[in-house]
Amino acid sequence: MIRLEHVSKTYEAKVVAITDVSLHIRPGEFVFITGASGSGKSTIIKLLLKELKPTHGRIVVNGKDLGKISHKQVPLFRRNIGVVFQDFRLLPDRNVYENVAFAMRVVEAPKKAIKTKVPMVLSLVGLAAKYRALPQQLSGGEQQRVAIARALVNEPKILLADEPTGNLDNHNAWEIMRLLEEINKRGTTVVVVTHNMEIVRMMNKRVITIQNGVVYSDEEGDQEA
Ligand code: ADP
Ligand code: MG
């Protein structure tokens, strides 16, 4: 569950990124956030991760009021959120398996759990056979699948994806979208920032459009499509 109540964010030097944004995303939803470059989409993602503090307003994620989470509680809070970015952000000198296992080691998961969970999540994203490859040996689409596997391996309730297909060709972009849809069907709340309007239109999901830092429209899709 994600709730923003009258949230505004002004950066230093008085750059207003978002103004009075209120949103409610229910558990299990698949939501697109779209809007022109600079409209405030990534700011919303960073606020949800508590990477940024809102200037005004209240943000609740997974039942936690972010204004009430102490610095020390942030890592634990973030365990319930998986994140994927446009530029993949993989460790270049570790193979696929290690990139995903790393996310479990960070949270001090038992070795046995890592051994069973990493192959499971790699096969979910269709990369079981490439577990020994280095990121540079993979296509962009495959690299993004590794990033998605890493984001999911600790079983977060929410997956946030900021322009996940921004560096991919159309074919790979669609494969990533189908994968995100499958992940959502398995119960994870999925929030995808994109300005690929063809994908947004064809996926037929809820679409929140941000324009100049305000919610311009919020339209339900036919979630069964
Ligand atoms: P989007 O992801 O929709 O392209 P952003 O949320 O990144 O938009 O940016 C919204 C606005 O805030 C833009 O005007 C951008 O220049 C500004 N902005 C983003 N990050 C910072 C920052 N760290 N410092 C100052 N201004 C920023
Ligand atoms: Mg952005």
Side-chain angles (χ1 to χ4, degrees), residues 5-9 18-22 213-215:
E5 291 172 0
H6 303 292
V7 173
S8 298
K9 175 65 190 178
I18 60 167
T19 310
D20 198 27
V21 168
S22 294
V214 303
V215 177

Side-chain angles (χ1 to χ4, degrees), residues 37-38 40-43 86 162-163 193:
S37 180
K41 306 180 299 295
S42 294
T43 297
Q86 175 169 354
D162 193 351
E163 307 271 7
V193 169

Side-chain angles (χ1 to χ4, degrees), residues 30 32 174 177-178 181 199-205:
F30 188 122
F32 282 115
W174 273 108
M177 281 300 151
R178 292 297 170 218
E181 194 171 39
I199 282 179
V200 168
R201 218 168 347 95
M202 301 210 22
M203 291 280 284
N204 224 355
K205 307 290 187 186

